[in-house]
Amino acid sequence: MRELDFIALENIIITLQFSLIRHVLEENLEKRHLRDLEYRMLNGSLSNDEENEVAGMLGLNDAEIYRVVTFRMDAIKNMEKFTNAQIKETELVENEIIRYLPREPIFLQTNQIVYIHRETERETGLEFRKKLEKLQKTIQEFLVNRGVEIDFLIGIGKTVTGYHELKESFKSSKIALKYIKVIRRIIGDEDKSVIDSTKVGFFYQILEKMKDINQLQAFIPESLNKLRQYDIQKNGELVDTLECYLNVNQSLKKTSELMFIHYRTVSYRLQKIIEITNIDFNNPAEVLSVRIGLIAIRVLEVM
């Protein structure tokens, strides 16, 4: 080979490099464009004809049953959502999700990943939720092993027929995540990370439609308001104790274990609660009213 041959070979390599770079850039732009269209469809900002076109590009049809699942990365500490580090972690998680779920339409958006799931007769809703719970644990362990302090959360949207209704499923998946902290408090499980919107109908049908603080406060019984005021004045924990006590079916032992306080302390607090509120724990209707009031309080805390 002569010197001119080496020069020609070098030019070929440079040309090939530019060609590959151009191909990758064009592919990334195409993916980004498709993700933007997909998000607009889920957000309800496309016309009916535009939805038909995007659905064709994504391989969706108007007869199949779908559920939208939203995966969200919540920083345990005050980590910014739009930093390069956060985006990098979200991209890594997206790749992990693709490994475990069928290759359905999925896209990344800042600190969340949205997945369109096709329902099948071979898999029940319960089986799908169990699969997502297993996935959540796997991803959470993956993040912990990387030394990343991120809470990996999953909101499952309601079941809909056809791609025109996907926006409703997406909306319900976001509502499930919006109230996840409240739900954790209500059920007494701070590690709950997978929320099925069909299981939180009270939040979806009532609370999401009540943006007015006064409307929510109307759900709080006067007795519970007295207890809140007492806690504020005395820096107490009577409302938390009452909530925990009701969550464990009025068990003094379990309340003391969950709150890390002595059995007698729980007993004393309950006596104080009865003294302030006159709550009759043997009256199911009154207990239900108090539980609804506690839910309203927790929702007010996140508004």
Side-chain angles (χ1 to χ4, degrees):
M1 293 182 69
R2 299 180 180 180
E3 185 178 349
L4 289 176
D5 294 321
F6 284 107
I7 293 172
L9 187 60
E10 184 179 4
N11 288 334
I12 291 172
I13 292 173
I14 292 172
T15 303
L16 182 60
Q17 285 178 330
F18 277 118
S19 178
L20 289 172
I21 291 171
R22 181 178 177 179
H23 176 73
V24 170
L25 288 173
E26 288 176 349
E27 191 176 65
N28 288 338
L29 284 172
E30 186 177 344
K31 285 181 179 178
R32 185 176 299 178
H33 177 62
L34 187 58
R35 286 182 172 188
D36 288 343
L37 288 174
E38 186 176 354
Y39 184 73
R40 287 185 62 197
M41 181 173 70
L42 294 177
N43 228 16
S45 60
L46 294 179
S47 67
N48 197 65
D49 289 340
E50 288 172 334
E51 282 186 0
N52 293 337
E53 186 176 348
V54 174
M57 295 167 67
L58 295 172
L60 306 173
N61 69 59
D62 213 17
E64 288 187 302
I65 298 172
Y66 300 102
R67 298 186 82 173
V68 176
V69 181
T70 301
F71 303 91
R72 196 175 73 200
M73 312 266 285
D74 270 9
I76 296 174
K77 293 185 178 179
N78 293 325
M79 178 181 174
E80 295 295 332
K81 295 179 181 178
F82 308 111
T83 61
N84 289 333
Q86 173 75 348
I87 292 171
K88 179 67 174 177
E89 293 300 331
T90 310
E91 288 174 349
L92 290 173
V93 168
E94 181 186 28
N95 291 332
E96 288 296 309
I97 291 172
I98 291 172
R99 288 177 55 198
Y100 290 94
L101 294 176
R103 300 189 70 83
E104 305 287 3
I106 182 170
F107 70 95
L108 178 152
Q109 187 208 21
T110 59
N111 70 322
Q112 69 180 19
I113 299 160
V114 183
Y115 170 74
I116 300 176
H117 172 69
R118 283 179 171 87
E119 296 269 290
T120 66
E121 294 181 356
R122 297 190 303 273
E123 183 180 58
T124 66
L126 176 60
E127 289 171 337
F128 180 57
R129 190 172 78 247
K130 293 293 183 184
K131 179 191 291 185
L132 289 179
E133 288 173 352
K134 184 177 180 181
L135 172 63
Q136 191 279 330
K137 290 180 181 178
T138 301
I139 300 293
Q140 193 67 69
E141 289 175 3
F142 168 76
L143 292 169
V144 169
N145 291 335
R146 286 181 52 79
V148 181
E149 294 185 316
I150 287 177
D151 200 3
F152 182 62
L153 309 173
I154 302 176
I156 308 172
K158 67 179 184 178
T159 301
V160 296
T161 302
Y163 55 82
H164 287 298
E165 301 301 319
L166 282 172
K167 58 182 77 71
E168 292 300 320
S169 186
F170 182 44
K171 179 181 177 182
S172 62
S173 74
K174 291 191 295 181
I175 290 173
L177 290 176
K178 179 179 179 180
Y179 292 114
I180 193 165
K181 291 182 181 179
V182 179
I183 294 167
R184 283 174 168 177
R185 293 296 298 270
I186 297 302
I187 66 176
D189 183 1
E190 292 297 326
D191 295 323
K192 183 72 172 176
S193 300
V194 180
I195 304 296
D196 187 339
S197 64
T198 62
K199 306 300 179 183
V200 290
F202 179 79
F203 295 95
Y204 184 70
Q205 296 296 332
I206 304 296
L207 300 180
E208 178 59 15
K209 296 179 181 179
M210 288 192 170
K211 304 294 185 181
D212 190 334
I213 291 177
N214 292 326
Q215 287 181 304
L216 276 175
Q217 288 177 334
F219 281 95
I220 306 173
E222 184 180 349
S223 58
L224 200 52
N225 271 323
K226 288 181 180 178
L227 204 61
R228 291 174 70 199
Q229 291 304 314
Y230 181 89
D231 275 350
I232 292 170
Q233 293 171 6
K234 304 290 185 179
N235 195 27
E237 296 181 77
L238 296 186
V239 172
D240 290 345
T241 303
L242 173 61
E243 184 177 50
C244 185
Y245 181 64
L246 294 177
N247 284 343
V248 295
N249 297 318
Q250 301 183 32
S251 167
L252 288 172
K253 182 180 179 182
K254 288 183 179 178
T255 304
S256 66
E257 290 173 354
L258 288 173
M259 297 193 72
F260 302 103
I261 55 178
H262 196 276
Y263 180 92
R264 290 182 180 178
T265 303
V266 177
S267 181
Y268 166 78
R269 288 184 182 179
L270 287 173
Q271 289 175 8
K272 195 69 181 176
I273 288 168
I274 294 171
E275 177 187 321
I276 296 170
T277 64
N278 292 317
I279 291 175
D280 180 3
F281 288 108
N282 294 317
N283 185 331
E286 187 172 353
V287 170
L288 177 60
S289 175
V290 170
R291 288 192 67 85
I292 292 174
L294 288 167
I295 292 172
I297 287 173
R298 299 313 179 195
V299 173
L300 284 169
E301 289 175 352
V302 300
M303 284 183 70

